């Protein structure tokens, strides 16, 4: 149990918390997805828009898993999740689209996003430092993900 002392224990604890939250939100968002009758309805934008909240929670699961194993891309995935999660309510507030993430999901995901962004940019667990280019790429990918599920 020597490996679970100090920063390793904190990293594993935070990652397990993120994994539990990500799993709970994924299940909640999956249960809200409506599967249409008929073949044609699967090709409409309204059908694919339902998967936006699920995509954000899956990003949280991936970031939590990477944090758990200490992967070298952890800080990038934490930043990607953080930006994607915060961009959803931001774009909703400025009127770009109407977010379908429920209020409880927005609050929980925003709290997790702020924590993840802090962990990523502070390099709290001494994983591979987030470069300026990787930070910009995570912002751009977050924007693209949000626009794909909500606007395009």
């Amino acid at each position: 149990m020597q490996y679970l002392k100090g920063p390793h224990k904190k990293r594993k604890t935070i990652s397990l918390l993120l994994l539990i939250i990500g799993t709970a939100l994924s299940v909640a968002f999956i249960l809200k997805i409506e599967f249409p009758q008929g073949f044609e309805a699967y090709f409409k934008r309204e059908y694919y828009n339902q998967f936006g909240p699920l995509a954000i929670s899956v990003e949280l699961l991936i970031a939590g898993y990477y944090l758990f194993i200490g992967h070298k891309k952890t800080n990038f995935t934490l930043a990607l999740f953080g930006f994607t999660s915060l961009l959803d309510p931001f774009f909703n507030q400025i009127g770009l689209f109407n977010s379908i993430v429920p209020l409880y999901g927005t609050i929980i995901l925003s709290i997790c996003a702020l924590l993840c962004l802090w962990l990523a940019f502070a390099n709290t667990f001494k994983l591979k430092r987030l470069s300026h280019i990787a930070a910009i790429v995570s912002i751009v990918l977050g924007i693209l993900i949000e626009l794909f599920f909500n606007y395009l």
Side-chain angles (χ1 to χ4, degrees):
M1 292 306 254
Q2 184 69 13
Y3 68 94
L4 281 180
K5 290 190 176 182
H8 293 294
K9 184 176 182 182
K10 289 178 186 175
R11 179 174 55 86
K12 299 269 183 176
T13 302
I14 292 170
S15 65
L16 285 173
L17 181 65
L18 294 176
L19 286 167
I20 290 167
I21 293 169
T23 302
L25 288 176
S26 293
V27 169
F29 296 152
I30 285 173
L31 293 175
K32 287 187 166 260
I33 294 174
E34 295 180 16
F35 295 96
Q37 297 287 347
F39 186 69
E40 191 174 295
Y42 285 96
F43 295 101
K44 293 185 178 178
R45 189 176 83 169
E46 294 80 26
Y47 173 70
Y48 292 104
N49 287 358
Q50 300 180 92
F51 290 93
L54 180 60
I56 297 172
S57 62
V58 168
E59 283 183 29
L60 178 58
L61 285 171
I62 293 168
Y65 174 72
Y66 273 18
L67 183 60
F68 186 81
I69 64 171
H71 194 275
K72 66 180 182 176
K73 300 277 186 187
T74 298
N75 287 332
F76 176 77
T77 58
L78 289 169
L80 176 62
F81 160 73
F83 287 125
T84 305
S85 184
L86 290 176
L87 284 168
D88 189 76
F90 174 74
F91 287 158
N92 185 48
Q93 284 298 311
I94 65 171
L96 190 59
F97 58 77
N98 291 325
S99 175
I100 63 167
V101 178
L103 181 60
Y104 71 88
T106 300
I107 293 169
I108 294 169
L109 289 171
S110 294
I111 292 168
C112 290
L114 292 172
L115 172 67
C116 288
L117 286 173
W118 178 72
L119 292 173
F121 283 100
N123 196 21
T124 306
F125 298 112
K126 307 296 184 238
L127 300 167
K128 184 179 176 188
R129 184 169 280 291
L130 192 65
S131 70
H132 295 296
I133 292 173
I136 292 169
V137 168
S138 66
I139 293 170
V140 170
L141 283 175
I143 291 170
L144 291 174
I145 291 167
E146 279 303 306
L147 292 178
F148 175 77
F149 284 107
N150 294 293
Y151 195 70
L152 300 178

